[in-house]
Amino acid sequence: MRGSVVSAVAALAAVLVGCGGGTTSPPPVPVFTTLQVTPDTATLIGAPGTTTQLTATPLDQNGSAMSGLGAATWSSDDAAHATVNSSGLVTSVAVGGPVTITGSLTASGVTKTGTSKVTVTALSSTAAVTAEAALAFSPATVNITAGGTVTWTFQSVAHTVTFDAVAGAPANIGTASSPVASQAVSRMFPTAGTFTYHCLIHSQMTGTVVVH
Ligand SMILES: [Cu+2]
């Protein structure tokens, strides 16, 4: 019984190989199908003059990137809040949005477009970070103006805020032998820069303060 089933399967496989196993069809010709714009959403922090780069990639019918089709053109539907140049670089003008940035590419008579939604948010002089009991700084990155203040709120688990060696960083909060729990501590950032920090107790806890 079992043997006859195996024989039947083997016979069927032989038939299938005999029918088509010896031929190969040519690969399908790539057809320009989609223009993928990345990232599809972005946030510009502060205005005017902060920037983010968009990229437009033509894709074929299988979702594979195509080359040699030329460069996309770019447009903004709300130049009062964000503009885009011929290279896809978006620049904030005023807080608002989301602004729809459209990339467009015509190749072989086919035009495809893709979009990204860009929101322009205000840059604040203050930011709040929670040093969570779940072993994370949240949010991991905050942005403030020069002279602004960040306040870390420590939950029940003790942590440190230990700045990496960057000139202009404020004093650390807590030490390995005396970490901080269940209170809020603020630090002022007088100068622009990117200040990374970590927790001495939990090496996976890292964060960044970007001062503009
Ligand atoms: Cu920690």
Side-chain angles (χ1 to χ4, degrees):
M1 183 64 180
R2 186 185 178 95
S4 65
V5 171
V6 172
S7 299
V9 170
L12 180 58
V15 168
L16 291 174
V17 169
C19 283
T23 63
T24 55
S25 52
V29 175
V31 176
F32 177 32
T33 305
T34 309
L35 186 67
Q36 180 182 58
V37 172
T38 53
D40 61 357
T41 62
T43 300
L44 287 170
I45 299 166
T50 54
T51 63
T52 190
Q53 179 68 53
L54 302 181
T55 302
T57 307
L59 304 178
D60 69 14
Q61 68 273 33
N62 297 316
S64 297
M66 303 175 72
S67 59
L69 300 191
T73 58
W74 296 92
S75 62
S76 165
D77 77 338
D78 184 1
H81 292 101
T83 58
V84 62
N85 73 5
S86 60
S87 304
L89 184 71
V90 182
T91 301
S92 66
V93 177
V95 171
V99 179
T100 300
I101 305 294
T102 301
S104 178
L105 178 60
T106 300
S108 305
V110 177
T111 298
K112 298 293 178 184
T113 61
T115 62
S116 180
K117 300 281 190 188
V118 178
T119 301
V120 182
T121 63
L123 186 59
S124 174
S125 63
T126 61
V129 178
T130 302
E132 296 180 335
L135 308 189
F137 292 113
S138 180
T141 300
V142 293
N143 290 267
I144 57 170
T145 52
T149 299
V150 178
T151 301
W152 282 266
T153 299
F154 295 83
Q155 297 183 328
S156 58
V157 176
H159 302 292
T160 75
V161 171
T162 303
F163 290 96
D164 300 320
V166 178
N172 295 332
I173 304 171
T175 64
S177 59
S178 182
V180 178
S182 303
Q183 61 177 293
V185 181
S186 298
R187 287 289 183 267
M188 196 268 278
F189 292 77
T191 55
T194 298
F195 302 95
T196 55
Y197 64 91
H198 60 281
C199 172
L200 289 172
I201 315 295
H202 310 102
S203 61
Q204 75 272 32
M205 291 180 67
T206 60
T208 303
V209 177
V210 183
V211 182
H212 299 259

